Amino acid sequence: MGIVVAIIDGIGFPLTNRNITYLMKQIRPIPYYTQMDDTRMKQCAKALREALIPQIKRRLPMHNLSGLSHQAIIEYVAKWKKEYPHFFRSDILKYYPNINPIHLVTQAQIAYRDLYGLEYVPKTFKDKFLTDMIHWIKSLPEGQGIPLGSSMSNIMASIGLVPICLELKRKYNVKFIVFVDDLLVLCKSDYSAREVWDYLSATLQNQYQLKLNIDKTYSGRFSKKAVTFCGWYFSGGYARIEQHKYDQFKERIQECIKKSRKENTRAFIKNINRKIDGFGNYYKFGNVLKQFEELDCFIRKEVRQWLSGNSHSKGYDNAGLEKLGLHRLETCYQKAHKTAKTNPMQPRLRSEKTFYNSEKPAAIDYGVLNQIAQTSEKLTVQNQQIIALLRQQNRLLERIFNA
């Protein structure tokens, strides 16, 4: 009996259930496609980053190329949503497949000029980058946009929209966060949000021949309408995990468990912990304690089902799973929200071990404690008498000087 084989990019894959699942994940929905860069393009992308990212960090601190931390987005929204209570949220309709690479090259030059505050694009920039950019354009299929998984695509897609971000900053009194083609704008009024909407729609159409994604474009007030951005769900002053990302994480855990071999418990726990730590460290700064507790219960349930297949691994409670080394999302949250309650000006208290020579404290002698208490009371009375005498002396001195 023959074996059915699928040929993809010159590589043969026997059509087993595991390979079919793998192949389905490698197929991008049309019109997206994947293409890797050669060494020349990787060097060009690296040089572009070195030339532009320092200026982007200075001029556009909430741009994805600035290297946003995990808590940057929720802290930024929490900081400015009172002064800028309205929002406008949008992204570009199929940005990667619809963008013309030639437009990206043009906008990259404009971005360099504007970031450095120049009146024209310097010849040094053109000599260093323009030839490589044209070489990159020629390597792409005509009329299919730019590919995924390409270092040049990653940097060019972000740089190409920098001129719009700089103009948005100059022209409108707004705060905004940019993640490639995703945009969240914080506005002072609904009228300002509409102005931003009109500006972006017109600019994208005229300069890039692109359109906003109507399904993901909406505006409102933070206190009345929820907004999702970069995996976060902002509603009523709280930042939670977006439901889609929540469900996606559960699917990844289930998939990891299905792929794990029964005989290697240590590697299994290690793989699960990687996913827990990655997900937990990204979302730990939000109001996610309840969601983390629910996910921890789900993970423990799935892990117990996997362990039940091993005759030596039955009956694990929560403490038993911790002994195996299973991490918890709740622990990530507690570490992130742990506040230091110690006052640096307050002297540190000595530990219990400094009071006793042995590990166990000595027996308490209540007779000695009573003597100490009586002596303390006597000293208190004597101090009060001394203070009364000092006050009398002060009054006599005042009378003498006044006379």
Side-chain angles (χ1 to χ4, degrees):
M1 183 175 178
I3 300 175
V4 180
V5 178
I7 306 297
I8 298 179
D9 292 336
I11 302 174
F13 291 88
L15 292 185
T16 61
N17 290 335
R18 187 171 183 178
N19 283 346
I20 290 173
T21 304
Y22 170 78
L23 292 172
M24 291 299 294
K25 290 183 178 180
Q26 303 309 309
I27 298 173
R28 300 282 184 181
I30 297 175
Y32 293 93
Y33 68 99
T34 303
Q35 178 175 310
M36 303 303 292
D37 290 331
D38 56 18
T39 304
R40 178 181 177 183
M41 292 299 95
K42 290 179 181 178
Q43 292 176 350
C44 179
K46 182 180 179 181
L48 277 170
R49 290 178 176 274
E50 293 174 351
L52 295 176
I53 286 181
Q55 292 299 318
I56 291 175
K57 287 182 177 180
R58 185 175 66 87
R59 301 288 297 277
L60 300 170
M62 293 306 293
H63 193 282
N64 62 284
L65 290 179
S66 297
L68 301 179
S69 61
H70 295 325
Q71 70 270 32
I73 294 176
I74 56 176
E75 287 181 352
Y76 193 78
V77 172
K79 178 181 179 180
W80 294 108
K81 69 179 181 179
K82 187 174 182 180
E83 185 177 350
Y84 297 82
H86 294 262
F87 69 84
F88 169 77
R89 192 260 186 269
S90 184
D91 72 351
I92 300 173
L93 181 64
K94 295 180 180 178
Y95 178 52
Y96 273 67
N98 288 337
I99 187 67
N100 188 335
I102 297 176
H103 292 161
L104 286 182
V105 172
T106 303
Q107 296 301 321
Q109 297 178 70
I110 297 173
Y112 184 90
R113 181 198 67 187
D114 293 347
L115 285 171
Y116 281 89
L118 305 175
E119 296 182 357
Y120 55 89
V121 181
K123 187 175 182 298
T124 53
F125 180 84
K126 295 180 179 179
D127 293 341
K128 187 175 181 180
F129 298 107
L130 199 55
T131 303
D132 289 338
M133 288 180 180
I134 294 173
H135 175 75
W136 173 65
I137 292 174
K138 290 181 179 179
S139 69
L140 303 177
E142 188 175 354
Q144 297 186 29
I146 59 177
L148 300 174
S150 163
S151 55
M152 278 294 290
S153 293
N154 292 339
I155 185 66
M156 293 294 289
S158 297
I159 292 174
L161 297 176
V162 165
I164 292 181
C165 298
L166 292 173
E167 186 65 18
L168 193 65
K169 182 179 179 180
R170 284 192 297 263
K171 200 170 183 179
Y172 303 94
N173 182 20
V174 294
K175 301 289 182 181
F176 56 87
I177 309 169
V178 183
F179 200 89
V180 191
D181 61 325
D182 280 3
L183 181 67
L184 178 63
V185 185
L186 283 65
C187 310
K188 288 193 172 183
S189 65
D190 183 61
Y191 176 77
S192 178
R194 292 179 182 275
E195 281 188 325
V196 172
W197 190 330
D198 293 339
Y199 164 73
L200 290 175
S201 299
T203 305
L204 287 172
Q205 180 63 44
N206 296 334
Q207 297 184 13
Y208 300 83
Q209 284 75 57
L210 297 173
K211 295 181 180 179
L212 293 177
N213 188 346
I214 300 301
D215 295 334
K216 294 184 179 180
T217 300
Y218 53 93
S219 62
R221 192 180 180 95
F222 280 107
S223 59
K224 296 182 179 180
K225 191 172 182 178
V227 56
T228 59
F229 186 75
C230 288
W232 289 103
Y233 178 83
F234 298 98
S235 176
Y238 295 93
R240 300 182 180 89
I241 305 169
E242 186 182 354
Q243 188 62 40
H244 172 66
K245 299 295 183 181
Y246 182 93
D247 296 335
Q248 212 174 49
F249 175 71
K250 293 173 71 174
E251 292 175 1
R252 289 202 301 269
I253 293 294
Q254 289 177 329
E255 183 181 351
C256 178
I257 289 174
K258 288 179 182 178
K259 290 181 178 180
S260 300
R261 296 181 179 180
K262 295 291 182 181
E263 65 272 12
N264 197 339
T265 303
R266 184 178 179 183
F268 166 71
I269 295 295
K270 188 175 181 180
N271 290 335
I272 293 291
N273 285 341
R274 283 199 195 101
K275 298 189 180 300
I276 292 172
D277 294 342
F279 187 83
N281 287 326
Y282 181 83
Y283 286 105
K284 63 184 178 181
F285 296 100
N287 311 104
V288 295
L289 180 58
K290 185 177 180 181
Q291 290 177 304
F292 273 9
E293 290 173 349
E294 293 172 354
L295 288 172
D296 279 335
C297 291
F298 168 79
I299 293 169
R300 287 193 292 266
K301 178 182 176 182
E302 294 293 323
V303 170
R304 287 192 184 102
Q305 289 180 356
W306 185 89
L307 292 171
S308 65
N310 189 336
S311 59
H312 300 288
S313 303
K314 292 183 178 179
Y316 276 105
D317 57 3
N318 292 355
L321 292 176
E322 287 186 7
K323 287 182 180 179
L324 279 180
L326 183 67
H327 294 179
R328 292 191 305 159
L329 291 168
E330 187 179 352
T331 303
C332 294
Y333 179 89
Q334 291 172 349
K335 289 180 179 179
H337 293 265
K338 185 178 180 181
T339 55
K341 296 182 179 180
T342 57
N343 185 354
M345 301 301 295
Q346 182 180 358
R348 294 182 180 179
L349 297 177
R350 290 177 291 172
S351 63
E352 186 178 342
K353 291 183 179 179
T354 60
F355 290 98
Y356 308 105
N357 295 328
S358 61
E359 293 184 358
K360 294 183 179 180
I364 299 174
D365 189 345
Y366 290 98
V368 174
L369 288 178
N370 290 331
Q371 292 179 2
I372 294 173
Q374 292 174 4
T375 304
S376 177
E377 289 179 0
K378 289 180 181 179
L379 291 173
T380 302
V381 172
Q382 291 176 359
N383 287 334
Q384 290 175 351
Q385 292 174 353
I386 292 171
I387 291 171
L389 289 172
L390 291 173
R391 288 177 178 173
Q392 290 178 3
Q393 289 179 359
N394 289 335
R395 292 194 196 99
L396 290 172
L397 291 173
E398 288 178 358
R399 289 176 184 174
I400 292 171
F401 285 116
N402 291 333

